[in-house]
Amino acid sequence: MKLFEKPHLIDFQSIGSRDLGYITVAENNKNVPFDIKRVYWTYYTPQSVKRGGHAHHNLNQVIFSVSGNITLNTESVKGEKKSFLLDNPQIGLFIPKLYWRDIVFSHSAVLLCLASEPYSIDDYIRNYDQFKLLGTP
């Protein structure tokens, strides 16, 4: 399986200093492995709420925690599970299509997502049993 077919962390280089602050840059097909067609962020998510609970047919994403901590649990259609802790704004998590994800936020965490496709309700797989069927021959 190629690297961009599995979830993995990407280190986005930051520029700056403790005295002046930092900047981190994301660029199409350079440190982001696709053309960015949508950007969104979530915030004020209570710690008791688990978000995600879906996969995508075609969408690839890079997800950042720009503030706070975010835990993402991923699962492939073949049942490969992996958990990622995002706690550094210069580290992004690449999640390719056909990976289920559950997301847990710390208090006042802010999630930033770079997406490879515009929003489409038809791209979502929200039923876990239907998702698992995609991995059967």
Side-chain angles (χ1 to χ4, degrees):
M1 190 173 255
K2 295 179 193 169
L3 180 63
F4 292 124
E5 293 176 354
K6 287 189 175 191
H8 65 277
L9 297 174
I10 302 171
D11 187 354
F12 289 73
Q13 297 297 312
S14 64
I15 303 164
S17 69
R18 234 186 166 130
D19 297 332
L20 299 174
Y22 296 92
I23 183 173
T24 300
V25 177
E27 296 181 280
N28 289 336
N29 295 303
K30 288 188 180 178
N31 54 3
V32 176
F34 51 77
D35 285 331
I36 301 165
K37 297 195 179 151
R38 182 167 54 113
V39 176
Y40 66 87
W41 50 97
T42 65
Y43 49 94
Y44 299 145
T45 304
Q47 282 182 259
S48 59
V49 172
K50 182 166 66 170
R51 295 196 57 160
H54 65 271
H56 292 279
H57 290 286
N58 298 304
L59 182 79
N60 297 303
Q61 298 173 306
V62 176
I63 295 177
F64 299 86
S65 175
V66 294
S67 179
N69 298 329
I70 298 171
T71 301
L72 281 104
N73 300 303
T74 63
E75 183 177 350
S76 74
V77 292
K78 297 185 187 226
E80 301 164 316
K81 295 180 180 181
K82 192 156 184 186
S83 184
F84 298 90
L85 174 64
L86 298 178
D87 60 357
N88 179 333
Q90 81 178 51
I91 303 295
L93 173 61
F94 174 75
I95 303 179
K97 63 184 179 180
L98 298 176
Y99 269 82
W100 192 265
R101 79 282 322 271
D102 290 308
I103 309 167
V104 179
F105 296 79
S106 71
H107 176 69
S108 70
V110 177
L111 177 150
L112 173 69
C113 179
L114 309 177
S116 67
E117 304 298 326
Y119 174 77
S120 169
I121 196 161
D122 296 331
D123 190 55
Y124 281 77
I125 306 164
R126 296 191 188 273
N127 181 294
Y128 182 76
D129 293 330
Q130 289 175 352
F131 167 75
K132 292 304 288 179
L133 286 174
L134 296 172
T136 58

